[in-house]
Amino acid sequence: MTSGRVLMLGTGTLKPSPKRYGSGVLLDIGGLKLLLDCGPSVVQKLYSAGVDATELDAVFLSHFHVDHTSDLPDLISSYAADRLGNPRKPERPLMLIGPRGLVDFLENLIDRNPYYSYVGEWNRMLKLVEPVEIGGSEELKIKDVVLRFTEVDHPNGYAIRVNVGDLSVTYSGDTAPTESLVGLASGTDLLIHECTFPSEALMGKHSSEKGLAEVASKAAPKTLVVTHLSPAWAGREHEIVDALKVSYRGRVVIAHDLLEVRVV
């Protein structure tokens, strides 16, 4: 039987709290180490968890907002050095997967930006990353792991489902409740889904506890990990669980940074 782990590196939003910084999830499954988003402090948290950035097989960016991408220059720089900090050329580029516009985003970030252009130079010299732009129904296979994607209701946003053997993990990225995500996540073993704001303070293309309950009841994952929580939820996380209990019967986990969840 396949098994794996999910390490929640960043479980908050743009405004950090003592328990939660910007988005990042390490999925270690089927011999694949896949980083889902690369927000603030993600690289440092990888090392704190005993994972060298050079061990990653791929990175998926759900969209290009700063709380999901701000550590990307640091990650690329880390990929240019070995464990002792000496320059290295990787055996293969790190696959960087993201929505249409990824190539332009990367060039703006590390090539056209004069203050980060040294990172772009390292990338060109050492072939550190290989950007792969995805479409709405595209599949990718890395080793024995199949990645599927769907557009969600957030600016340039995508969700991802990771399948290996009899196991699946789905990650929503940022999104308002949407049927495309329900379809992608249907019957998944573990769904990592955002719940940014309480319903009375909901703003933008995000989910509240009410929207999340609707998605969870339809998709019916075995386990639901609730993430991307704004500071408005501090001390109120039980309200999310209460809202979910009305229509969802699976296991609920409220995420915090460096939480590890086993997937079996």
Side-chain angles (χ1 to χ4, degrees):
M1 179 180 292
T2 306
S3 63
R5 67 166 179 154
V6 172
L7 181 61
M8 306 299 296
L9 300 167
T11 59
T13 59
L14 284 169
K15 186 175 181 180
S17 71
K19 294 171 63 177
R20 301 183 179 99
Y21 279 70
S23 296
V25 179
L26 175 66
L27 180 56
D28 188 352
I29 187 172
L32 179 74
K33 285 186 171 67
L34 174 64
L35 181 64
L36 307 174
D37 283 328
C38 194
S41 79
V42 159
V43 172
Q44 185 273 329
K45 287 177 182 175
L46 281 171
Y47 284 100
S48 295
V51 179
D52 192 302
T54 61
E55 298 175 26
L56 296 174
D57 295 293
V59 176
F60 167 71
L61 299 180
S62 63
H63 61 294
F64 303 135
H65 287 170
V66 66
D67 54 325
H68 294 253
T69 62
S70 66
D71 245 26
L72 189 58
D74 190 17
L75 178 67
I76 296 171
S77 298
S78 298
Y79 216 64
D82 63 19
R83 291 177 180 270
L84 299 177
N86 299 312
R88 66 183 284 273
K89 182 173 182 177
E91 294 180 8
R92 52 172 177 70
L94 176 66
M95 185 180 292
L96 180 63
I97 306 163
R100 285 180 285 268
L102 174 64
V103 172
D104 191 56
F105 171 78
L106 189 62
E107 289 177 353
N108 277 313
L109 185 67
I110 64 171
D111 290 313
R112 298 176 189 137
N113 181 346
Y115 304 104
Y116 286 0
S117 59
Y118 69 96
V119 181
E121 184 177 354
W122 289 353
N123 183 42
R124 289 189 299 275
M125 290 175 57
L126 301 176
K127 297 182 179 179
L128 301 177
V129 296
E130 176 188 1
V132 177
E133 295 190 359
I134 56 173
S137 59
E138 188 172 348
E139 283 190 1
L140 292 176
K141 187 171 184 180
I142 307 174
K143 299 182 178 180
D144 293 324
V145 182
V146 177
L147 312 180
R148 293 171 50 210
F149 312 93
T150 191
E151 291 186 77
V152 293
D153 192 8
H154 195 80
N156 211 29
Y158 275 78
I160 181 173
R161 178 166 175 153
V162 180
N163 285 79
V164 56
D166 56 357
L167 199 62
S168 66
V169 176
T170 304
Y171 173 63
S172 72
D174 285 5
T175 183
T178 176
E179 289 299 320
S180 62
L181 187 280
V182 170
L184 185 72
S186 180
T188 192
D189 292 288
L190 189 147
L191 171 60
I192 306 166
H193 198 291
E194 72 123 291
C195 187
T196 307
F197 299 111
S199 55
E200 76 277 4
L202 182 61
M203 295 184 292
K205 298 293 188 177
H206 289 288
S207 296
S208 70
E209 76 285 5
K210 293 180 180 179
L212 177 58
E214 179 183 345
V215 170
S217 65
K218 291 179 178 179
K222 293 180 181 177
T223 298
L224 173 64
V225 177
V226 185
T227 191
H228 205 265
L229 300 167
S230 73
W233 281 116
R236 299 179 53 187
E237 291 91 346
H238 64 279
E239 296 178 28
I240 302 174
V241 178
D242 291 343
L244 288 164
K245 282 181 179 178
V246 175
S247 57
Y248 172 64
R249 298 293 176 261
R251 177 189 177 205
V252 178
V253 178
I254 304 297
H256 58 79
D257 288 14
L258 298 182
L259 171 72
E260 183 172 324
V261 180
R262 303 301 298 184
V263 190
V264 294

